[in-house]
Amino acid sequence: MEVSSGITASLQGRYASALYDLAREQDAVSTVEGDLEKLSAAIRESADLAALIRNPQVSREAAGKVVEGIASLLGLAPLTKNFLGVLAGNRRLSALPDVVRAFSAIAAAARGEVTAEVTTAHPLDAAQLADLSAKLKEREGRDVKVKACVDPEILGGLVVRIGSTMIDSSIRTRLNSLAQAMKG
C-alpha cells in the first residue's frame, strides 16, 4: 500500500499499522475502525479526556485504569481495549488522535478508498453529501469517503481537502482574492 508506507514512518503510523495488522488477522477492521471513531468523538467532546491523554504527569497505572473505564463505557472491542492499554503502558496516549487518523488512512487505502474532508458554512443534507461524494469519486477515480464539518467563518461555498490537495471555493477566499486584486 503506497499510502500506508509513508504513514508507517512515524511513531503513530507504526502503532496504527500494528493495530491494523492485528485487526485484519482477527477480521475486525471495521469493528476497530468504529471503536476508534467513537473514541475520537469522545476526545473531541470531552475537554477533560483530551487534557488527560496529553498530561505527562498521569502515571501509567492511572492512565491504564482510565482508558479501561472509557473502553468499557464506550463498549469497545477487546482488541481496541487492549491496544489502548498498550498505549497507556507505553505513555503514548497523547499520540492517540494521530494513531486514529493513521489507522483510518491505512484502512481506507486497503479498501481502495480516499477520504475527503469537506468544510461548509452550513450542514449538508444526505442528498448533497451523496452528490458531492459521486462528483469526488468521478474526479478521483476511486471511492471517496466524505467527512463533513461546519465552519461558519467560510461564509458559503466549500473547502475540500483530499490528502495534500485542497479545493477552496469558499466565499471567504473569493472575497479575500477580490480585495487583494482591488488593492493592486
Side-chain angles (χ1 to χ4, degrees):
M1 283 182 286
E2 116 189 18
V3 172
S4 66
S5 63
I7 291 170
T8 57
S10 68
L11 175 74
Q12 298 85 347
R14 289 191 299 272
Y15 275 104
S17 181
L19 178 60
Y20 179 80
D21 289 343
L22 287 170
R24 191 182 61 220
E25 286 174 12
Q26 296 178 20
D27 198 27
V29 173
S30 60
T31 301
V32 171
E33 196 169 14
D35 286 351
L36 292 177
E37 286 176 14
K38 282 188 225 174
L39 196 55
S40 185
I43 292 169
R44 279 192 310 273
E45 293 171 10
S46 171
D48 291 338
L49 179 57
L52 176 107
I53 67 169
R54 288 188 309 250
N55 188 343
Q57 295 177 334
V58 175
S59 70
R60 293 172 199 250
E61 296 78 25
K65 289 179 183 177
V66 168
V67 295
E68 188 173 316
I70 290 168
S72 296
L73 182 68
L74 294 175
L76 303 182
L79 177 59
T80 310
K81 187 175 177 180
N82 291 341
F83 177 74
L84 290 175
V86 168
L87 284 180
N90 291 343
R91 301 189 67 78
R92 299 287 187 210
L93 281 177
S94 62
L96 185 57
D98 292 328
V99 170
V100 171
R101 279 191 290 279
F103 185 92
S104 294
I106 292 169
R111 289 190 300 267
E113 237 175 37
V114 65
T115 300
E117 295 174 12
V118 178
T119 305
T120 57
H122 304 284
L124 299 176
D125 63 33
Q128 291 170 321
L129 283 171
D131 188 39
L132 179 61
S133 181
K135 287 181 181 174
L136 290 172
K137 179 178 181 177
E138 183 180 310
R139 180 183 187 276
E140 293 295 312
R142 54 187 170 169
D143 288 334
V144 177
K145 180 180 177 184
V146 176
K147 283 189 176 180
C149 66
V150 176
D151 180 4
E153 291 186 15
I154 69 168
L155 303 176
L158 52 95
V159 178
V160 179
R161 183 182 308 270
I162 301 173
S164 62
T165 305
M166 184 168 86
I167 305 165
D168 189 344
S169 65
S170 66
I171 292 176
R172 179 181 63 189
T173 299
R174 290 180 185 179
L175 289 173
N176 287 341
S177 296
L178 181 61
Q180 289 299 321
M182 290 174 68
K183 285 181 184 177

